[in-house]
Amino acid sequence: MHADTIRQYCILMATYNRNANETLYEACSHLSEEELASDKGAFFDSILGTLGHIMVGDDIWMSRFEKTTNPHERLDALPYNTFSELRTARAERDERFINFFKTVDDTFYEGDFAFTSMAGDSFVKPLQQIVSHFFNHQTHHRGQVHTLLTQSGIKTPVSDLPYLV
C-alpha cells in the first residue's frame, strides 16, 4: 500500500478516535468519580481503569512511533488520578495524534516497523498492521466502557465511524 494511502487512513482513524473519545467521555461525565472508579469486574476493573489503559496503550505506541522513552511500566497503570485530568489529557493526546499522522515524514509510512515489547521482545511487523492495531486497541476498549456505561444506566453514544467523521 502506498505511503499516502496509509497516511490518509491514519488521519481518518485518528480523527474518528478523537470524536469517539469526545462522545464517550461526555457520557462518562454523567457518573461520579466514585462510580467511574468502582470495580465493575472488567479486565481493567473500572471505567476509569479501562480509560486509563487506553491512554497507557496510546502512550506506549506513540513512544515507539516517535522513538522516545515509554512513560509507563505497566499496562494497568493509572496515569491520572481523576476523570477530569484524564479527560483533559485524552483531548490533548487525540489532537497530538492527528497532528503526528499529518506531519510525520513519508518514510514513517513505508515498509516495516521495528519495536520492542514491554517484555523486552523485539518484533518487526508491517506498518499497516501496527497502525491498525494502534487504532483498533482504542475501539476495543471503548466498547468495554460502552458496556459498563450501559450497565450503569447511562445512555451511550453512537460510536460508528460513518456518523463521527
Side-chain angles (χ1 to χ4, degrees):
M1 189 177 290
H2 190 269
D4 192 53
T5 303
I6 299 172
R7 179 188 299 278
Q8 293 308 314
Y9 167 77
C10 289
I11 295 168
L12 170 69
M13 293 306 297
T15 302
Y16 164 67
N17 278 342
R18 178 198 58 203
N19 296 349
N21 286 330
E22 287 174 355
T23 63
L24 187 68
Y25 273 71
E26 179 57 32
C28 289
S29 73
H30 297 285
L31 294 173
S32 68
E33 287 286 341
E34 293 77 25
E35 291 171 307
L36 290 166
S38 70
D39 189 337
K40 306 279 189 198
F43 193 80
F44 292 97
D45 299 327
S46 64
I47 291 172
L48 194 61
T50 305
L51 293 173
H53 170 71
I54 296 169
M55 184 76 76
V56 166
D58 286 352
D59 286 348
I60 291 168
W61 279 106
M62 285 306 293
S63 71
R64 292 170 181 159
F65 295 158
E66 296 174 327
K67 300 188 184 328
T68 60
T69 302
N70 171 8
H72 304 287
E73 293 181 15
R74 299 171 21 163
L75 292 173
D76 62 350
L78 287 175
Y80 300 94
N81 294 321
T82 67
F83 175 73
S84 176
E85 292 171 329
L86 185 63
R87 189 177 191 178
T88 298
R90 175 79 268 162
E92 290 169 356
R93 294 292 197 302
D94 288 339
E95 292 306 321
R96 178 176 150 218
F97 299 162
I98 292 168
N99 186 58
F100 173 83
F101 290 112
K102 283 182 177 178
T103 62
V104 69
D105 189 86
D106 282 344
T107 58
F108 172 81
Y109 294 105
E110 297 168 357
D112 293 333
F113 186 79
F115 66 97
T116 303
S117 72
M118 290 185 67
D121 299 319
S122 295
F123 296 91
V124 177
K125 301 283 184 179
L127 180 72
Q128 291 172 259
Q129 184 183 60
I130 297 304
V131 295
S132 292
H133 169 73
F134 174 72
F135 295 118
N136 285 333
H137 179 259
Q138 274 198 35
T139 302
H140 166 71
H141 289 296
R142 273 197 309 266
Q144 292 173 330
V145 172
H146 194 276
T147 296
L148 297 173
L149 285 171
T150 300
Q151 292 171 351
S152 298
I154 300 297
K155 182 174 174 19
T156 52
V158 171
S159 60
D160 296 331
L161 186 144
Y163 304 110
L164 293 178
V165 177

